[in-house]
C-alpha cells in the first residue's frame, strides 16, 4: 500500500503534468488515509479551481486553513479564487494576510495587486504589482499588470529603472502586452511602450500586426529625435505621419502641440491641444501643458484661464483622498518643518530666484527639507543640497509614496514651486500631505487646487480686485513676489556709441505671437532706420527661423529689419544688450528674468500690463523702479510708449547710466526678501493653527489680501 508521501508525490507530479483526473484520484486516496493532510486539501482545492469549480475549491482551502500552521501560501491561493469569483474585497483581505505572514511571497503580492486593480484602485495596485515583479523579474504577467496599472493611474515610479534590465519573454502574453503598450503610450511612457514592442518583435518576428505597431513607434521616436536635433519642421511633419496611421497617438499629438507653442504659433498649438484633450480626457500631463499654452494666447481672458485651471483640479485632483492631521490646532509659535518641492533644483530659474534666498531663510525657527523631483546633478543642485537641513530625492516615488514620506517627515508647511510645469506633483498635493500647502515661484498662475491654501505674490502681480482668479488665498510680499539674485556678476554697462536705433527682445519665441508681431510692425514702420534684435534658443533651429521670418513677412516686417540669433550663453546674451536702446516685452506672457537682465544692463523695457499674473511680471518690475510710464494698457498704448522713448534720447541716456545700479540694488535685497518669505510661512501656519482654513483642507472661500 503506498504511503501518504508516495501518494502526494504522485499527485503533484500528475498535477504539474496537467493530468487533473489522475491527480484528483491520488489526492482523494491520500485524504482517505489522512483526513487532515494540509497539502492534499490545499492542492485538491486548487485542482477544483483549475477545473472552473471555484466555489467548491474554497471549501477545500477553508479546510486546509483550519489545520495549517503556515497559512500564507493557502491564503495567497484563496485570494486568487476570490478574484475568480468576482470578490476583490475578499481577495484583498486574504492577500494582505498572506503578505503579513510571508512578506517575500510572490503569490500574496500579485494577488493583492490584481484585487486592487479589479476594485478600480490602480495606483495602489501598481505598487503591489511592482513588488511582485521585483520578486519574480521574469514573470511576464506580473510585469505587464504592473505597467498596465501604472499607466492607468499615471504612477510611473520604477518603470524607467526596470527598463534598464532585461525584459522577460512576452509571446505568451501577446494580447496583454499590446494593450499595455497602447496604455503606456497614452500615458506618456513612449519609451516603455517601445521597449515592450521591441521585446515582442524578438519573440514573434513574423507577426505583421506587431511589426506595424512597432514601426509607428519608431516613427514617433524619429520625430522626437528630429525635435532634439532642432529640426522642428521635420519633427512636426514626421509626427503628422504617425497620426495619419494612428490618429489617437498621444505622443505625436503632444509633440506637435508643444512645438507649435514653442514656435509662437499659438493658434495651431491650441488646435492640437483641443484634439489631444478630446482623445485623451484623462491625461493630466497634457492638460497641464495645455494650461501653459493658454497663458500665451492673447484671446484667452483672465476669467477663462482661471476657469481652465479649476477644471483641471476638478478633473484630476478632486478624487484624491485627503489626510487629516492628528492635531488640527497646534502651537503657532513652535519651530516649523518647511518642505520645498520642485523638479528644478538645478541651473535655471529656480536657482536664479531662490538659491541665494533659500540660504538666507529663517534657520532658528524653521527646519528646511528639500524634495527634489528632478534628476539633474549640477553645481546649482549641489548648492541647494548644501543649504538644506534634509534632502530627499523623490523622482522615483509615486504620489502615495511621496505623500507618505512628507507625512513621515512631519512637514508643517509644504511649498510647491513648479505649478503646472513639467514633472509637477500637483496630484500628490491634492491628497494634502502637509497641513498647510503653498504655491510659489516657478509658475505664473493659480494652481486651481483647493488643497493648496496660499499663494505668495505681491499687490502689483495679484491685486485684490483679481483675487477671484485664484483658488488660493493670497499672501503678499511687500518687496515683490520674487527676488532676482543670479549667481553671476553683471558686466559693466557702457554708454551707447552706435547712432542706429535698435530694439530687442530676448524672450522665448513661444511668447512672440502674431499680435506681438503686429505691434512690432507698427513700431518698425514708424522708425524706418531701426532694427529689431531677437535672441532665442529656437533660432538655432533653421526651420523655425525660416518659419518665423515668414510669419514676420505676413505681419509686414521685412527680414532685413531683423537680427536673429540663438540664445547662446547667458554671458553672450548680456553682452548683446550693449547696443540695444529699448527692450520690447512680449504679451500676454511677459518677460521676467529677461526683463530683470535688460533693466540691469541699462535698457528700458516697455510692457503691456494685462489681468493675468503672467501678463504683469514686467509691469511689477517697472513700477518698483519708478518706470510706470513704460507700462501700457493696450496695443496702441504700447506702440505709443515705445515711440515716446524713441523720441527722448536724453532720457534713454539717463536711464542707461542710472538703471543698472537701481535694478541691481533692488535685486540683491536677498536677506530682506527672505525675512518676508519666512514671515509669510509663519503667518500661514498661524492661520491654520487658529482654524482659519476649511475643515476639509481647502482654502477659505474669499482669497485675502494679507500682508
Amino acid at each position: 500500500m503506498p504511503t501518504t508521501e508516495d501518494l502526494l508525490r504522485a499527485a503533484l507530479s500528475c498535477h504539474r503534468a496537467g493530468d487533473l483526473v489522475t491527480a484528483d484520484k491520488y489526492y482523494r486516496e491520500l485524504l482517505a488515509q489522512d483526513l487532515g493532510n494540509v497539502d492534499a486539501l490545499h492542492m485538491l482545492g486548487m485542482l477544483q479551481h483549475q477545473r472552473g469549480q471555484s466555489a467548491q475549491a474554497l471549501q477545500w482551502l477553508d479546510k486546509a486553513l483550519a489545520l495549517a500552521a503556515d497559512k500564507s501560501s493557502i491564503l495567497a491561493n484563496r485570494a486568487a479564487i476570490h478574484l475568480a469569483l468576482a470578490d476583490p474585497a475578499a481577495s484583498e483581505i486574504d492577500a494582505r494576510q498572506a503578505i503579513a505572514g510571508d512578506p517575500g511571497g510572490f503569490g500574496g503580492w500579485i494577488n493583492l495587486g490584481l484585487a486592487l486593480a479589479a476594485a478600480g484602485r490602480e495606483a495602489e495596485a501598481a505598487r503591489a504589482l511592482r513588488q511582485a515583479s521585483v520578486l519574480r523579474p521574469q514573470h511576464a504577467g506580473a510585469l505587464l499588470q504592473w505597467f498596465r496599472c501604472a499607466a492607468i493611474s499615471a504612477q510611473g515610479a520604477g518603470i524607467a529603472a526596470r527598463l534598464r534590465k532585461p525584459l522577460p519573454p512576452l509571446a505568451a502574453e501577446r494580447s496583454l502586452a499590446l494593450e499595455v503598450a497602447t496604455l503606456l503610450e497614452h500615458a506618456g511612457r513612449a519609451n516603455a511602450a517601445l521597449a515592450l514592442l521591441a521585446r515582442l518583435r524578438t519573440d514573434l518576428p513574423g507577426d505583421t500586426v506587431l511589426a506595424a505597431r512597432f514601426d509607428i513607434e519608431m516613427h514617433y521616436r524619429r520625430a522626437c529625435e528630429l525635435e532634439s536635433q532642432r529640426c522642428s519642421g521635420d519633427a512636426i511633419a514626421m509626427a503628422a505621419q504617425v497620426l495619419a496611421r494612428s490618429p489617437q497617438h498621444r505622443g505625436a499629438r503632444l509633440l506637435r502641440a508643444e512645438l507649435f507653442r514653442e514656435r509662437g504659433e499659438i493658434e495651431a498649438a491650441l488646435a492640437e491641444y483641443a484634439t489631444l484633450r478630446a482623445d485623451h480626457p484623462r491625461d493630466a500631463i497634457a492638460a497641464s501643458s495645455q494650461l501653459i499654452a493658454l497663458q500665451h494666447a492673447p484671446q484667452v481672458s483672465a476669467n477663462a484661464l482661471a476657469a481652465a485651471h479649476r477644471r483641471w483640479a476638478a478633473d484630476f485632483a478632486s478624487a484624491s483622498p485627503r489626510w487629516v492631521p492628528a492635531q488640527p490646532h497646534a502651537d503657532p509659535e513652535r519651530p516649523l518643518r518647511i518642505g520645498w518641492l520642485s523638479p528644478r533644483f538645478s541651473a535655471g530659474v529656480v536657482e536664479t530666484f531662490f538659491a541665494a534666498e533659500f540660504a538666507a531663510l529663517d534657520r532658528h525657527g524653521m527646519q528646511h527639507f528639500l524634495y527634489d523631483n528632478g534628476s539633474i546633478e549640477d553645481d546649482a543642485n549641489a548648492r541647494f543640497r548644501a543649504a538644506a537641513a534634509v534632502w530627499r530625492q523623490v523622482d522615483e516615488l509615486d504620489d502615495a509614496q511621496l505623500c507618505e514620506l512628507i507625512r513621515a517627515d512631519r512637514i508643517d508647511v509644504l511649498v510647491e514651486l513648479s505649478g503646472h510645469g513639467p514633472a509637477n506633483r500637483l496630484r500628490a498635493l491634492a491628497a494634502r500631505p502637509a497641513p498647510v500647502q503653498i504655491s510659489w515661484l516657478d509658475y505664473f498662475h493659480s494652481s486651481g487646487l483647493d488643497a493648496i491654501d496660499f499663494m505668495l505674490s505681491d499687490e502689483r502681480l495679484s491685486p485684490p480686485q483679481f483675487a477671484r482668479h485664484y483658488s488660493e488665498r493670497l499672501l503678499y510680499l511687500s518687496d515683490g513676489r520674487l527676488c532676482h539674485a543670479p549667481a553671476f556678476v553683471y558686466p559693466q554697462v557702457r554708454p551707447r556709441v552706435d547712432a542706429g536705433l535698435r530694439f530687442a527682445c530676448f524672450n522665448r519665441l513661444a511668447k512672440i505671437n502674431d499680435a506681438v508681431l503686429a505691434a512690432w510692425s507698427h513700431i518698425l514702420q514708424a522708425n524706418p532706420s531701426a532694427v529689431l534684435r531677437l535672441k532665442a534658443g529656437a533660432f538655432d533651429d533653421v526651420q523655425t527661423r525660416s518659419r518665423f521670418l515668414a510669419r514676420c513677412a505676413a505681419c509686414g516686417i521685412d527680414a532685413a529689419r531683423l537680427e536673429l540669433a540663438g540664445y547662446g550663453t547667458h554671458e553672450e546674451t548680456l553682452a548683446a544688450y550693449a547696443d540695444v536702446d529699448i527692450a520690447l516685452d512680449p504679451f500676454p506672457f511677459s518677460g521676467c528674468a529677461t526683463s530683470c537682465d535688460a533693466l540691469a544692463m541699462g535698457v528700458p523695457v516697455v510692457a503691456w500690463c494685462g489681468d493675468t499674473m503672467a501678463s504683469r511680471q514686467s509691469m511689477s518690475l517697472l513700477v518698483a523702479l519708478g518706470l510706470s510710464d513704460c507700462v501700457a494698457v493696450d496695443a496702441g498704448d504700447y506702440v505709443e510708449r515705445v515711440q515716446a522713448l524713441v523720441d527722448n534720447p536724453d532720457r534713454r541716456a539717463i536711464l542707461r547710466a542710472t538703471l543698472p545700479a537701481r535694478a541691481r540694488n533692488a535685486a540683491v535685497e536677498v536677506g530682506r526678501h527672505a525675512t518676508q518669505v519666512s514671515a509669510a510661512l509663519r503667518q500661514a501656519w498661524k492661520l491654520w493653527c487658529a482654524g482659519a482654513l476649511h475643515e476639509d483642507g481647502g482654502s477659505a472661500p474669499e482669497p485675502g489680501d494679507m500682508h
Side-chain angles (χ1 to χ4, degrees):
M1 179 177 180
T3 66
T4 55
E5 290 80 4
D6 293 335
L7 288 169
L8 181 61
R9 191 162 34 250
L12 290 173
S13 177
C14 293
H15 200 160
R16 294 188 187 101
D19 184 356
L20 302 187
V21 173
T22 306
D24 182 288
K25 171 177 172 294
Y26 284 140
Y27 285 135
R28 292 181 187 276
E29 286 182 14
L30 192 161
L31 289 171
Q33 295 184 34
D34 180 6
L35 284 173
N37 190 291
V38 171
D39 290 332
L41 291 167
H42 181 189
M43 298 314 297
L44 184 56
M46 296 311 297
L47 185 149
Q48 297 300 320
H49 175 53
Q50 288 175 267
R51 284 174 163 171
Q53 299 170 345
S54 297
Q56 296 92 320
L58 281 181
Q59 297 174 10
W60 290 106
L61 264 65
D62 289 345
K63 293 178 182 179
L65 281 169
L67 299 170
D70 181 1
K71 304 177 186 295
S72 297
S73 62
I74 305 173
L75 284 165
N77 282 330
R78 193 170 73 170
I81 295 173
H82 281 308
L83 273 176
L85 292 170
D87 190 351
S91 179
E92 179 186 353
I93 292 171
D94 278 354
R96 291 192 185 280
Q97 290 181 356
I99 292 167
D102 181 14
F106 172 80
W109 285 107
I110 191 167
N111 285 313
L112 175 60
L114 294 173
L116 292 169
R121 294 153 61 188
E122 281 84 1
E124 297 172 74
R127 297 177 68 183
L129 292 163
R130 177 183 179 184
Q131 181 59 28
S133 187
V134 168
L135 292 169
R136 289 194 188 174
Q138 293 303 300
H139 193 287
L143 177 84
L144 292 172
Q145 291 292 354
W146 164 27
F147 283 12
R148 176 183 176 276
C149 290
I152 292 172
S153 62
Q155 299 296 311
I159 290 179
R162 179 63 184 86
L163 292 177
R164 291 192 286 269
K165 301 174 183 177
L167 296 178
L170 300 177
E173 301 280 3
R174 175 188 179 278
S175 295
L176 178 59
L178 287 173
E179 175 198 348
V180 172
T182 299
L183 290 171
L184 287 167
E185 192 284 313
H186 288 177
R189 297 275 172 179
N191 287 339
L194 187 59
L196 292 187
L197 294 173
R199 175 71 234 205
L200 274 174
R201 284 271 287 160
T202 300
D203 298 340
L204 301 168
D207 191 320
T208 56
V209 173
L210 174 58
R213 283 284 308 279
F214 182 76
D215 189 57
I216 289 171
E217 291 306 317
M218 288 300 295
H219 274 72
Y220 170 62
R221 170 171 282 192
R222 179 56 183 153
C224 294
E225 290 171 349
L226 288 167
E227 187 272 336
S228 67
Q229 295 165 3
R230 297 187 180 276
C231 299
S232 63
D234 291 342
I236 289 171
M238 182 65 71
Q241 292 182 30
V242 172
L243 290 167
R245 299 172 64 186
S246 179
Q248 292 191 325
H249 195 283
R250 183 258 191 194
R253 186 73 66 187
L254 182 59
L255 180 64
R256 283 173 58 87
E258 293 185 337
L259 282 173
F260 281 131
R261 185 189 74 199
E262 290 309 302
R263 298 201 323 180
E265 299 174 43
I266 192 63
E267 295 293 343
L270 292 180
E272 295 288 347
Y273 278 116
T275 302
L276 177 62
R277 297 289 291 115
D279 289 343
H280 303 282
R282 299 305 305 159
D283 190 333
I285 295 172
S288 283
S289 183
Q290 182 185 38
L291 291 178
I292 295 172
L294 289 172
Q295 294 175 65
H296 292 78
Q299 71 273 27
V300 177
S301 70
N303 286 336
L305 190 57
H309 281 77
R310 288 190 170 95
R311 280 196 300 274
W312 187 98
D315 289 343
F316 304 108
S318 61
S320 299
R322 295 291 180 85
W323 170 67
V324 179
Q327 297 179 338
H329 303 295
D331 179 0
E333 302 297 339
R334 69 167 171 79
L336 297 179
R337 299 162 79 89
I338 309 295
W340 304 87
L341 172 64
S342 174
R344 286 176 281 283
F345 288 123
S346 52
V349 171
V350 176
E351 179 195 23
T352 298
F353 287 95
F354 188 51
E357 182 161 10
F358 180 64
L361 291 171
D362 178 9
R363 304 286 164 162
H364 299 290
M366 298 177 179
Q367 185 181 19
H368 297 276
F369 293 63
L370 286 189
Y371 297 91
D372 186 358
N373 194 50
S375 57
I376 297 176
E377 296 184 8
D378 57 11
D379 291 343
N381 188 261
R383 184 181 178 191
F384 277 113
R385 284 177 181 261
V390 179
W391 180 275
R392 305 290 195 201
Q393 194 67 41
V394 299
D395 56 311
E396 280 296 315
L397 301 184
D398 63 27
D399 288 345
Q401 291 170 323
L402 175 59
C403 289
E404 288 170 6
L405 177 61
I406 292 169
R407 291 165 187 163
D409 285 338
R410 295 180 291 115
I411 295 301
D412 299 306
V413 180
L414 180 63
V415 188
E416 196 283 324
L417 300 176
S418 60
H420 285 274
N424 73 75
R425 303 302 296 266
L426 290 178
R427 283 167 294 173
L429 267 69
R432 189 173 283 284
V436 179
Q437 301 189 146
I438 296 177
S439 178
W440 185 48
L441 195 72
D442 197 15
Y443 191 68
F444 294 94
H445 198 278
S446 165
S447 66
L449 273 69
D450 287 340
I452 298 182
D453 307 295
F454 300 100
M455 170 174 271
L456 300 187
S457 190
D458 63 59
E459 288 190 89
R460 293 184 296 272
L461 280 176
S462 309
Q465 65 266 32
F466 293 150
R468 66 184 183 277
H469 299 155
Y470 296 83
S471 58
E472 309 88 352
R473 278 184 166 183
L474 294 169
L475 286 177
Y476 288 148
L477 304 173
S478 56
D479 282 358
R481 178 172 181 259
L482 302 175
C483 179
H484 186 245
F488 57 85
V489 177
Y490 279 106
Q492 182 179 356
V493 177
R494 302 186 184 280
R496 280 280 276 122
V497 294
D498 180 3
L501 180 65
R502 180 174 281 105
F503 303 106
C505 178
F506 297 168
N507 281 271
R508 290 183 302 109
L509 184 55
K511 298 182 180 184
I512 304 176
N513 54 67
D514 287 350
V516 173
L517 290 179
W520 290 355
S521 177
H522 287 301
I523 292 168
L524 290 172
Q525 288 171 16
N527 299 277
S529 64
V531 295
L532 172 59
R533 174 176 293 166
L534 303 174
K535 279 181 69 66
F539 291 132
D540 290 324
D541 181 336
V542 174
Q543 295 171 350
T544 292
R545 183 188 293 237
S546 176
R547 175 62 183 159
F548 179 74
L549 289 174
R551 289 177 55 212
C552 287
C555 292
I557 301 175
D558 192 282
R561 308 288 302 278
L562 299 172
E563 297 175 348
L564 305 185
Y567 191 80
T569 66
H570 195 223
E571 291 76 11
E572 291 170 344
T573 298
L574 293 176
Y577 281 114
D579 53 357
V580 170
D581 298 285
I582 301 170
L584 304 179
D585 201 41
F587 51 82
F589 206 123
S590 65
C592 183
T594 48
S595 296
C596 290
D597 284 345
L599 295 167
M601 294 302 295
V603 178
V605 179
V606 176
W608 173 1
C609 173
D611 293 347
T612 65
M613 179 183 282
S615 69
R616 302 173 70 85
Q617 299 171 104
S618 292
M619 174 277 295
S620 182
L621 297 169
L622 291 166
V623 172
L625 291 170
L627 297 176
S628 298
D629 61 322
C630 290
V631 179
V633 296
D634 57 37
D637 191 31
Y638 178 90
V639 173
E640 290 175 5
R641 289 179 186 271
V642 171
Q643 194 60 42
L645 273 176
V646 170
D647 295 339
N648 195 344
D650 291 340
R651 180 158 189 254
R652 297 203 312 271
I654 292 172
L655 289 174
R656 191 170 195 84
T658 60
L659 257 185
R662 291 160 56 198
R664 298 177 194 188
N665 287 340
V668 297
E669 293 290 345
V670 174
R672 189 168 72 179
H673 199 270
T675 299
Q676 294 172 15
V677 171
S678 298
L681 300 179
R682 176 64 67 177
Q683 182 185 6
W685 174 252
K686 287 181 176 180
L687 287 167
W688 181 78
C689 291
L693 305 184
H694 277 322
E695 290 301 320
D696 67 359
S699 62
E702 293 291 335
D705 58 344
M706 299 169 288
H707 294 265

